Amino acid sequence: QVQLVESGGGLVQPGGSLRLSCAASGSIFSINAMGWYQQAPGKERELVAQITSDGSTNYADSVKGRFTISRDNGKNSVFLQMNSLKAEDTAVYYCNARGRDIDYYPVSWWGQGTQVTVST
């Protein structure tokens, strides 16, 4: 069993900041990429940012320059620093990790989601 536990969501005013955290634990052999996805009401889940084990990053155009993804490989953790938040950033944010379990099968794991609401 593998668990991804997220924290850091909440309510923030436009222009504010939040930091999301996600820690993976359990029967993990290795993790390659970790990332964050967002899903707004009535919309599909979309990639926000991703980071590989060697530190390569990829961002959605809508968050470039405002969000920064980072990770701690030793703790199987990933973080998303969100600055200059806008109302359109409001969504449930899901942590994702891709790697191999202890049986060496490739797996994609998901967190339970954390709500981010940007509003006055």
Side-chain angles (χ1 to χ4, degrees), residues 18-86:
L18 282 175
R19 178 178 168 86
L20 304 183
S21 301
C22 172
S25 63
S27 304
I28 299 169
F29 177 82
S30 64
I31 293 178
N32 179 18
M34 299 189 77
W36 292 92
Y37 289 70
Q38 66 179 193
Q39 187 166 20
K43 295 187 177 181
E44 294 186 353
R45 192 174 297 186
E46 298 178 335
L47 176 68
V48 175
Q50 188 176 70
I51 184 168
T52 61
S53 56
D54 65 359
S56 298
T57 58
N58 180 39
Y59 294 92
D61 288 342
S62 61
V63 307
K64 286 180 180 176
R66 300 189 298 123
F67 291 9
T68 302
I69 190 169
S70 60
R71 68 185 282 180
D72 182 335
N73 290 333
K75 296 182 179 180
N76 288 333
S77 297
V78 65
F79 311 95
L80 186 67
Q81 179 66 43
M82 304 186 293
N83 297 330
S84 302
L85 282 160
K86 305 175 181 179

